[in-house]
């Protein structure tokens, strides 16, 4: 049952990012997922709901999700949030080094299958490399927060430094598509004309990225044949 689940999705920043607040309405513990933009607003939203931010969860460490240098701009992100709250920063172990300058000793290095407990609400971490080596999704109460791995009707880019189309195909087909059809998909960006959510079942049927029956076909479609 998810009667105590606290979940808030908000679009912030200049790149149509979705930032999430998740936690327990019973214990009032909460995590922020990918807080790169508008830190004041994130803190205000949590305070308005009387939630205490105890964790920061990173789907991956691109600057538009955690802060850093982006197109000549310095986005404070995680570093600024840590000036406001005392929180652990949860990042996949393969990308922890990218966040160390921003988060220091607050880093929690995690791996596939690990869980983070927010009071009575458990968040399961699913390692989904492809967009980046340490990309991960967060499964909580039948909701899947997918970052830049899976979007509504598409998947994350695999032509960036550190991207790997073979890993993306494996992550999509052997990890995400193994989830229940009713699992709600909550993406990392508003790339679907304002649609805020989907489901694994809907993406299985309609998302072009899931229609390729072999790795070779997927690679050809991604321009990596």
């Amino acid at each position: 049952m998810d009667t105590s689940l606290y979940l808030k999705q908000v679009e912030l920043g200049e790149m149509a990012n979705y930032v999430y607040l998740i936690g327990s309405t019973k214990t009032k513990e909460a995590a922020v997922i990918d807080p790169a933009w508008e830190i004041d607003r994130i803190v205000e939203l949590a305070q308005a709901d009387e939630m205490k931010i105890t964790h920061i969860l990173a789907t991956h460490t691109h600057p538009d999700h955690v802060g850093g240098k982006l197109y000549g701009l310095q986005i404070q992100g995680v570093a600024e949030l840590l000036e406001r709250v005392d929180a652990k920063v949860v990042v996949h172990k393969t990308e922890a080094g990218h966040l160390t300058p921003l988060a220091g000793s607050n880093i929690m290095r995690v791996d596939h299958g690990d869980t983070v407990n927010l009071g009575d609400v458990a968040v399961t971490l699913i390692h989904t490399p492809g967009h980046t080596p340490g990309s991960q999704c967060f499964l909580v109460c039948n909701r899947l927060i997918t970052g830049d791995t899976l979007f509504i009707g598409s998947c994350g880019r695999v032509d960036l430094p550190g991207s790997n189309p073979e890993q993306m195909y494996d992550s999509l087909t052997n990890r995400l598509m193994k989830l229940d059809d009713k699992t709600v998909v909550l993406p990392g960006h508003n790339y679907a004309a304002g649609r805020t959510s989907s489901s694994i079942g809907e993406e299985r049927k309609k998302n072009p990225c899931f229609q390729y029956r072999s790795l070779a076909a997927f690679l050809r479609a991604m321009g990596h044949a």
Side-chain angles (χ1 to χ4, degrees), residues 128-200:
T128 53
H131 182 64
T132 68
S135 287
Q136 56 184 351
C137 300
F138 304 120
L139 183 63
V140 53
C141 300
N142 207 40
R143 286 124 172 123
L144 184 72
I145 299 169
T146 57
D148 283 6
T149 296
L150 176 63
F151 298 123
I152 299 172
S154 65
C155 69
R157 291 177 61 177
V158 291
D159 60 342
L160 300 172
S163 297
N164 186 303
E166 290 90 352
Q167 288 182 338
M168 177 65 84
Y169 180 77
D170 184 67
S171 292
L172 293 174
T173 59
N174 293 320
R175 291 210 163 153
L176 298 192
M177 283 301 101
K178 298 295 175 92
L179 298 175
D180 188 276
D181 278 353
K182 295 180 181 179
T183 304
V184 177
V185 172
L186 297 167
H189 289 270
N190 179 4
Y191 287 165
R195 283 194 63 198
T196 60
S197 67
S198 180
S199 69
I200 289 294

Side-chain angles (χ1 to χ4, degrees), residues 3-191:
T3 54
S4 64
L5 176 66
Y6 168 81
L7 190 152
K8 184 162 288 188
Q9 178 195 61
V10 56
E11 183 179 341
L12 297 176
E14 301 173 17
M15 300 181 69
N17 286 75
Y18 283 131
V19 174
Y20 295 88
L21 284 160
I22 60 172
S24 168
T25 58
K26 289 183 179 178
T27 66
K28 297 296 185 178
E29 297 171 65
V32 184
I33 298 177
D34 291 354
W37 310 88
E38 301 182 49
I39 299 304
D40 285 345
R41 186 172 179 203
I42 294 171
V43 173
E44 290 167 1
L45 287 169
Q47 290 177 341
D49 292 333
E50 298 182 340
M51 302 297 293
K52 179 182 180 182
I53 297 172
T54 59
H55 291 78
I56 298 168
L57 275 55
T59 61
H60 63 296
T61 58
H62 280 165
D64 62 314
H65 288 260
V66 297
K69 291 183 178 179
L70 182 68
Y71 304 134
L73 300 174
Q74 181 67 38
I75 306 170
Q76 291 302 313
V78 168
E80 182 178 338
L81 183 55
L82 287 173
E83 293 177 358
R84 306 282 300 276
V85 301
D86 181 16
K88 293 295 183 181
V89 180
V90 179
V91 60
H92 190 268
K93 62 183 182 181
T94 60
E95 295 187 25
H98 300 165
L99 272 186
T100 301
L102 300 177
S105 61
N106 293 74
I107 291 284
M108 281 181 60
R109 295 165 174 82
V110 295
D111 203 353
H112 177 70
D114 288 347
T115 59
V116 173
N117 293 311
L118 304 167
D120 59 330
V121 172
V123 183
T124 301
L125 283 53
I126 303 175
H127 184 209
T128 53
H131 182 64
T132 68
S135 287
Q136 56 184 351
C137 300
F138 304 120
L139 183 63
V140 53
C141 300
N142 207 40
R143 286 124 172 123
L144 184 72
I145 299 169
T146 57
D148 283 6
T149 296
L150 176 63
F151 298 123
I152 299 172
S154 65
C155 69
R157 291 177 61 177
V158 291
D159 60 342
L160 300 172
S163 297
N164 186 303
E166 290 90 352
Q167 288 182 338
M168 177 65 84
Y169 180 77
D170 184 67
S171 292
L172 293 174
T173 59
N174 293 320
R175 291 210 163 153
L176 298 192
M177 283 301 101
K178 298 295 175 92
L179 298 175
D180 188 276
D181 278 353
K182 295 180 181 179
T183 304
V184 177
V185 172
L186 297 167
H189 289 270
N190 179 4
Y191 287 165

